[in-house]
C-alpha cells in the first residue's frame, strides 16, 4: 500500500488538531469528531493536553484513503514546543501548513515555513477556519504571497466565507457558467495565476505557453500534481474542519499530489554516503522524538528511512556508537500502540525500553552504518529557579529532571555557581510550566521563582594600596607585605613588577591566590569582581616568618584596601534579545522595550513580520515570555543570548545593595 507521512504545522490556534479529526472522520478511521475544548480528540490524549486545551506533544494519527496509508503528525502550535515541531517536520515527507482565515500569516507560520524550506519539503497551504466570522480568503492569500518564499497559488476558491462558506471551486476545472457572477472574475484571475505557476515548473510547457499554444486541462493537471509532488508549487486550499467543507478535496490532494517515502529520492548521511528510501536497502532510521510513559516506560519514535527493521535484529546507534536490539516493534495511532512484525521504509514506528536511544539519534544496519544530520534545536530562552518543597522532593529531583531532559533536549538544568540556585530553562514560560507539572506527576513537588540576577562588581579607576600581615604568637610568626596597583581592564590579569628581590618569586602565586579570594566578594554588595588588572609593585618579607599563607593574607588585604579607592561599580548581565512579531506591533514592541531599559540595535522588516534586535538587562526579561504573549496576542516569538555586563544605574544599584545587606542580616 502506498504510504504518505504528512506533518501538520502552524501557528498556535490555526486548527491543526480539529483538521486531523475531520480527516479521520472523512476517511472512516473515526466515527465522530472529538473537540479540543472537551479533551476528546485523538491527538491531544495526554492529561496535560486535556487540562490546558492545546497540543503539547506531536500526535501520530493513521488513516486510509483511496488505497493509500496516510500518517498525520499533528505538531504543537506553541513555539515553546519547538522540539516537537521540528521533530515532526523532519520525520515527514511533506507538510500541511495551516493559516487561519481570520488571523493570516503569523510568526509561527513563518517559523515552520522556514523549517520546511530548509529541508526542501513539499507542502500544501490550508487556509483553515473558513467558517469563522471575519474569514477572508483573498486577504490571507495576498498575505501568503507577500510574506512567504516560494510559488503560492490558489488551487481552489471558496464559495462564500464565514458562516456562508458552503463549498470550494477547482480553479483548473471549474467553468464560469457554474459560478455566480461576482466570482467569475476571481476565477479568471486565480486560473491565470495558477497556470503561470504551473508552466514555470516545466520548460516544455513554458515554451509552448509563451508561443500561445492552448494547453489541455489534463496536461495542466498532470504538470500541477508533479509540481506539488516536487515542492516547486504550493497549492492553497480553503477548508473548514468544523463543517467539513474542503476536507474531501484536501484528502484527494494529499493522495494525488504529496510525495511518498519512495518518491523523495536518495537520503544523504553526514559523510556524504547515500541510501535509497526503499524496503530492500540497508536499514536506517532516525529517532525524532522520545517520551516516557508511566506504564510502558521509554518510547522512542522512529522514522524508518530505508530498509526493513525486524524484532530481535541488532541496530547500530551510529550517533552514540552503541548497539541496540529491539524486542518488539509498534506502530502508533493516537494513544494506541499496535505491535507489528516489521517496520519498513516510509513508516513511523515506536521502540520501547531502550534507554540508549535519544532524540536525533540515527539507527542503522551495523553492516552498512550511516549517520544522518542531527535535529537542530535552539537554545532555551526562559529560566525559572526550582525550590523542592521537602527533603524527599530534593532527594528525588535529580532523577526526575534527568527523565525530563532525556525526553526533551530543549530543556536544560543547572546549578548557578554564583547564587547556588537550581535553574530549569526552556523555550518559554509555557514550556517550563509544563515541565514543572511533569515533575509533579513523577512525584516531585517544587515551587518556582524568578532566578536571582548574578550581578558582578568591577572598578572604574586606578588605585594602589599596601597590605601587610604581621603576627607574632611565640615561635615562628607570620609576615607578608605587598603593594598592589589596580587598573580597569578586560578580563582578570595578574603580573609582577617587583624588582630587586623585595618579594621572593615563590610568594607571588600566594599573593595571586589572596587577590582571587578578595575578588570573590566585592566591596559594594559582595558580588564577584571582574575586569580588574592587578600588578604587584613592591613589598617586603622576613627570612623566618614569611610563608605562603602570610603572603596570601597580605594579597587579600592589599586588594581590599586598593579597591576602595578604585571607584567600585555594580554590573548587571545583559542579553541580546531578538523578537519577531507582525509588523503592526512594532510600536508596541519598541515602547515596551524602552520601559525595560533596552538599547535597540536594529529592526528588520520581512514581509508582514518584523524582527527587532535589542540589548536588554537580564533583570528586565524575567517575565518577558508571558508579557510578549499578552502584548502580541500570542503572535510574537523571541530568543535570548548572553551578551555581557554593563554598569547598573546608580539608583538601581542602591536598591540592590540595600536588598543584599538586608538579606545578609
Amino acid at each position: 500500500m502506498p504510504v504518505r507521512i504528512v506533518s501538520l504545522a502552524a501557528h498556535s490556534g490555526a486548527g491543526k488538531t480539529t483538521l486531523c479529526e475531520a480527516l479521520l472522520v472523512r476517511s472512516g478511521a473515526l466515527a465522530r469528531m472529538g473537540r479540543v475544548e472537551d479533551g476528546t480528540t485523538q491527538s491531544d490524549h495526554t492529561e496535560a493536553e486535556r487540562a490546558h486545551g492545546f497540543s503539547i506533544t506531536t500526535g501520530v494519527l493513521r488513516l486510509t484513503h483511496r488505497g493509500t496509508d496516510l500518517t498525520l503528525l499533528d505538531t504543537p502550535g506553541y513555539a515553546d514546543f519547538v522540539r516537537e515541531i521540528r521533530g515532526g517536520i523532519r520525520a515527514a515527507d511533506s507538510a500541511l501548513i495551516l493559516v487561519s482565515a481570520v488571523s493570516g500569516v503569523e510568526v509561527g507560520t513563518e517559523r515552520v515555513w522556514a523549517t520546511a524550506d530548509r529541508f526542501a519539503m513539499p507542502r500544501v497551504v490550508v487556509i483553515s477556519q473558513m467558517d469563522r466570522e471575519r474569514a477572508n480568503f483573498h486577504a490571507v492569500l495576498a498575505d501568503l504571497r507577500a510574506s512567504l518564499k516560494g510559488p503560492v497559488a490558489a488551487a481552489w476558491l471558496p464559495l462564500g466565507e464565514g458562516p456562508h462558506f458552503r463549498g470550494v471551486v477547482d480553479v483548473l476545472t471549474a467553468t464560469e457558467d457554474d459560478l455566480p457572477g461576482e466570482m467569475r472574475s476571481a476565477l479568471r484571475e486565480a486560473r491565470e495565476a495558477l497556470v503561470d505557476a504551473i508552466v514555470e515548473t516545466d520548460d516544455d510547457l513554458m515554451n509552448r505557453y509563451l508561443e500561445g499554444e492552448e494547453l489541455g486541462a489534463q496536461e495542466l493537471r498532470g504538470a500541477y500534481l508533479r509540481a506539488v509532488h516536487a515542492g516547486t508549487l504550493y497549492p492553497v486550499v480553503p477548508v473548514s474542519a468544523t463543517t467539513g467543507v474542503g476536507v474531501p478535496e484536501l484528502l484527494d490532494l494529499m493522495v494525488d499530489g504529496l510525495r511518498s517515502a519512495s518518491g523523495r529520492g536518495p537520503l544523504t548521511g553526514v559523510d556524504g554516503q547515500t541510501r535509497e528510501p526503499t524496503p530492500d536497502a540497508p536499514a536506517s532510521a532516525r529517532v525524532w522524538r522520545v517520551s516516557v510513559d508511566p506504564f510502558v516506560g521509554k518510547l522512542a519514535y522512529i522514522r524508518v528511512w530505508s530498509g526493513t527493521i525486524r524484532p530481535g535484529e541488532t541496530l547500530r546507534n551510529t550517533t552514540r556508537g552503541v548497539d541496540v536490539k529491539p524486542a518488539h516493534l509498534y506502530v502508533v495511532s493516537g494513544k494506541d500502540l499496535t505491535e507489528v512484525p516489521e517496520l519498513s521504509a516510509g513508516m513511523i514506528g515506536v521502540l520501547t525500553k531502550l534507554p540508549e536511544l535519544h532524540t536525533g539519534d540515527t539507527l542503522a544496519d551495523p553492516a552498512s552504518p550511516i549517520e544522518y544530520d542531527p535535529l537542530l534545536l535552539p537554545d532555551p530562552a526562559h529560566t525559572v529557579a526550582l525550590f523542592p518543597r521537602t527533603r524527599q522532593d530534593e532527594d528525588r529531583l535529580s532523577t526526575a529532571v534527568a527523565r525530563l531532559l532525556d525526553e526533551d533536549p530543549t530543556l536544560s538544568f543547572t546549578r548557578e555557581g554564583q547564587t547556588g540556585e537550581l535553574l530549569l530553562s526552556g523555550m518559554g514560560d509555557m514550556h517550563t510550566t509544563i515541565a514543572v507539572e511533569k515533575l509533579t506527576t513523577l512525584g516531585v513537588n517544587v515551587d518556582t521563582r524568578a532566578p536571582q540576577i548574578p550581578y558582578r562588581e568591577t572598578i572604574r579607576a586606578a588605585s594602589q594600596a599596601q597590605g601587610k600581615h604581621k603576627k607574632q604568637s611565640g615561635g615562628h610568626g607570620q609576615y607578608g607585605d605587598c603593594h598592589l596597583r589596580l587598573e580597569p581592564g578586560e578580563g582578570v590579569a595578574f603580573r609582577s613588577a617587583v624588582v630587586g628581590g623585595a618579594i621572593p618569586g615563590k610568594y607571588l602565586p600566594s599573593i595571586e591566590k589572596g587577590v582571587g579570594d578578595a575578588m570573590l566578594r566585592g566591596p559594594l554588595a559582595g558580588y564577584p569582581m571582574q575586569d580588574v588588572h592587578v600588578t604587584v609593585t613592591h613589598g617586603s618579607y622576613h627570612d623566618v616568618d614569611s610563608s605562603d599563607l602570610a603572603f596570601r593574607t597580605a594579597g587579600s588585604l592589599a586588594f581590599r584596601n586598593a579597591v576602595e579607592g578604585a571607584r567600585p561599580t555594580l554590573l548587571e548581565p545583559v542579553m541580546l534579545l531578538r523578537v519577531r512579531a507582525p509588523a503592526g506591533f512594532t510600536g508596541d514592541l519598541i515602547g515596551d522595550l524602552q520601559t525595560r531599559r533596552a538599547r535597540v540595535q536594529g529592526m528588520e522588516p520581512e514581509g508582514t513580520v518584523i524582527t527587532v534586535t535589542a540589548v536588554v538587562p537580564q533583570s528586565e526579561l524575567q517575565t518577558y515570555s508571558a508579557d510578549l504573549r499578552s502584548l502580541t496576542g500570542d503572535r510574537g516569538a523571541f530568543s535570548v543570548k548572553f551578551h555581557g555586563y554593563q554598569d547598573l544605574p546608580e539608583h538601581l544599584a542602591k536598591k540592590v545593595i540595600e536588598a543584599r545587606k538586608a538579606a545578609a542580616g
Side-chain angles (χ1 to χ4, degrees):
M1 181 182 292
V3 175
R4 306 280 188 276
I5 300 180
V6 185
S7 174
L8 281 75
H11 190 86
S12 177
K16 298 180 304 301
T17 299
T18 304
L19 179 59
C20 284
E21 293 288 302
L23 293 169
L24 289 168
V25 169
R26 179 66 190 185
S27 69
L30 192 63
R32 55 177 294 181
M33 284 181 60
R35 284 167 42 90
V36 173
E37 298 84 354
D38 300 335
T40 55
T41 64
Q42 297 296 297
S43 290
D44 296 347
H45 57 80
T46 68
E47 290 299 323
E49 288 170 322
R50 290 178 179 143
H52 289 280
F54 55 76
S55 298
I56 295 170
T57 61
T58 296
V60 181
L61 307 166
R62 299 182 67 201
L63 58 92
T64 301
H65 181 67
R66 288 175 38 207
T68 300
D69 188 341
L70 286 164
T71 298
L72 309 178
L73 305 181
D74 178 18
T75 65
Y78 277 104
D80 285 18
F81 307 109
V82 63
R83 182 260 315 194
E84 296 280 348
I85 298 169
R86 292 192 182 179
I89 291 177
R90 294 298 303 278
D93 295 307
S94 50
L96 298 186
I97 307 294
L98 274 66
V99 183
S100 168
V102 178
S103 304
V105 174
E106 301 182 84
V107 170
T109 316
E110 295 218 338
R111 294 178 82 163
V112 296
W113 192 270
T115 301
D117 268 345
R118 190 177 303 127
F119 303 108
M121 179 169 284
R123 69 210 76 156
V124 171
V125 182
V126 177
I127 297 185
S128 61
Q129 302 173 338
M130 282 295 301
D131 59 311
R132 296 274 184 95
E133 292 285 353
R134 297 184 295 108
N136 191 326
F137 176 84
H138 293 285
V140 175
L141 182 61
D143 198 6
L144 288 165
R145 289 170 172 159
S147 306
L148 305 179
K149 298 177 182 178
V152 175
W156 280 268
L157 292 178
L159 281 170
E161 293 180 321
H164 305 292
F165 179 53
R166 62 190 184 278
V168 295
V169 176
D170 189 323
V171 171
L172 277 182
T173 62
T175 63
E176 293 185 22
D177 294 339
D178 298 331
L179 299 177
E182 68 273 9
M183 279 198 65
R184 293 175 183 176
S185 62
L187 176 62
R188 286 193 296 270
E189 291 176 10
R191 180 172 293 158
E192 182 179 346
L194 181 58
V195 170
D196 285 347
I198 292 170
V199 298
E200 285 181 4
T201 67
D202 187 306
D203 290 341
D204 177 59
L205 284 181
M206 171 67 82
N207 292 331
R208 292 162 54 196
Y209 181 66
L210 293 176
E211 291 170 0
E213 182 180 336
E214 188 74 24
L215 302 176
Q218 288 301 112
E219 191 173 23
L220 279 172
R221 182 159 186 81
Y224 158 72
L225 292 176
R226 288 193 299 273
V228 175
H229 179 278
T232 54
L233 173 62
Y234 309 134
V236 179
V237 187
V239 169
S240 166
T242 304
T243 64
V245 176
V247 173
E249 291 78 6
L250 177 60
L251 263 176
D252 286 341
L253 178 59
M254 291 166 69
V255 170
D256 295 333
L258 294 182
R259 71 184 179 188
S260 64
S262 59
R264 66 181 295 137
L267 304 152
T268 305
V270 294
D271 62 355
Q273 65 171 308
T274 60
R275 286 280 188 279
E276 291 295 329
T278 57
D280 55 353
S284 68
R286 178 194 279 120
V287 179
W288 60 275
R289 77 176 294 254
V290 166
S291 69
V292 180
D293 184 276
F295 303 105
V296 181
K298 189 172 186 177
L299 306 176
Y301 290 70
I302 64 170
R303 163 64 196 265
V304 184
W305 291 115
S306 65
T308 301
I309 296 174
R310 297 179 179 87
E313 293 183 351
T314 299
L315 293 170
R316 173 75 43 81
N317 182 340
T318 54
T319 305
R320 302 179 187 274
V322 297
D323 288 345
V324 297
K325 187 181 290 186
H328 303 277
L329 306 176
Y330 300 89
V331 293
V332 61
S333 187
K335 62 181 178 180
D336 300 320
L337 292 177
T338 303
E339 190 165 4
V340 293
E342 62 181 29
L343 294 170
S344 59
M347 295 183 70
I348 296 289
V350 175
L351 309 181
T352 60
K353 301 177 181 178
L354 294 173
E356 304 89 352
L357 299 186
H358 305 273
T359 301
D361 286 357
T362 297
L363 299 175
D365 181 344
S368 301
I370 189 172
E371 182 180 354
Y372 297 120
D373 59 310
L375 297 177
L376 297 177
L377 299 171
D379 295 327
H382 179 75
T383 301
V384 293
L386 303 184
F387 297 89
R389 293 179 183 173
T390 67
R391 181 60 182 268
Q392 191 176 42
D393 292 324
E394 185 175 355
D395 293 340
R396 293 176 176 174
L397 181 60
S398 60
T399 301
V401 167
R403 290 183 65 177
L404 290 187
L405 300 185
D406 189 24
E407 184 176 22
D408 187 350
T410 57
L411 289 169
S412 73
F413 182 70
T414 59
R415 181 183 292 274
E416 216 292 321
Q418 182 173 322
T419 65
E421 289 182 320
L422 301 172
L423 303 182
L424 179 68
S425 300
M427 304 313 302
D429 66 314
M430 189 62 67
H431 192 199
T432 54
T433 296
I434 298 296
V436 169
E437 290 176 2
K438 287 184 178 180
L439 286 177
T440 302
T441 65
L442 295 172
V444 179
N445 297 297
V446 296
D447 294 315
T448 63
R449 291 200 291 270
Q452 297 179 43
I453 303 300
Y455 294 103
R456 297 287 178 87
E457 298 182 29
T458 192
I459 60 174
R460 290 289 178 245
S463 177
Q464 55 186 7
Q466 178 186 19
K468 180 182 261 189
H469 176 64
K470 184 177 181 181
K471 188 174 182 181
Q472 194 71 39
S473 56
H476 288 310
Q478 298 180 36
Y479 184 88
D481 174 32
C482 65
H483 293 249
L484 302 182
R485 181 172 67 248
L486 311 187
E487 297 169 297
E490 186 175 347
V492 175
F494 180 88
R495 71 185 188 92
S496 171
V498 176
V499 295
I503 302 176
K506 65 179 181 179
Y507 293 129
L508 292 175
S510 298
I511 297 174
E512 184 175 4
K513 289 179 181 177
V515 168
D517 295 340
M519 290 187 68
L520 292 175
R521 291 185 57 83
L524 297 176
Y527 290 108
M529 298 194 69
Q530 65 179 41
D531 297 335
V532 181
H533 289 191
V534 180
T535 304
V536 185
T537 56
H538 56 94
S540 60
Y541 74 102
H542 189 278
D543 287 332
V544 176
D545 293 343
S546 288
S547 64
D548 289 328
L549 178 60
F551 271 101
R552 182 169 182 169
T553 305
S556 181
L557 288 171
F559 184 89
R560 291 187 184 123
N561 292 335
V563 80
E564 293 178 2
R567 284 177 44 210
T569 302
L570 203 59
L571 300 175
E572 62 177 341
V574 292
M575 316 298 286
L576 183 65
L577 171 73
R578 287 176 59 85
V579 190
R580 287 172 60 84
F585 291 103
T586 303
D588 294 331
L589 291 174
I590 298 300
D592 176 71
L593 288 173
Q594 288 174 343
T595 67
R596 299 176 189 271
R597 299 187 288 119
R599 290 179 282 125
V600 175
Q601 306 292 294
M603 293 183 284
E604 304 168 32
E606 303 172 54
T608 60
V609 174
I610 191 164
T611 300
V612 179
T613 304
V615 175
V616 192
Q618 181 181 338
S619 61
E620 302 288 353
L621 294 175
Q622 300 278 53
T623 61
Y624 194 69
S625 180
D627 293 345
L628 180 65
R629 185 164 59 248
S630 175
L631 184 68
T632 63
D634 194 30
R635 299 178 69 189
F638 76 104
S639 64
V640 294
K641 184 178 181 181
F642 179 71
H643 189 66
Y645 281 86
Q646 68 181 19
D647 287 7
L648 184 64
E650 187 175 350
H651 69 287
L652 295 177
K654 288 181 179 178
K655 292 181 180 179
V656 171
I657 293 169
E658 289 171 1
R660 184 81 162 175
K661 290 179 178 177

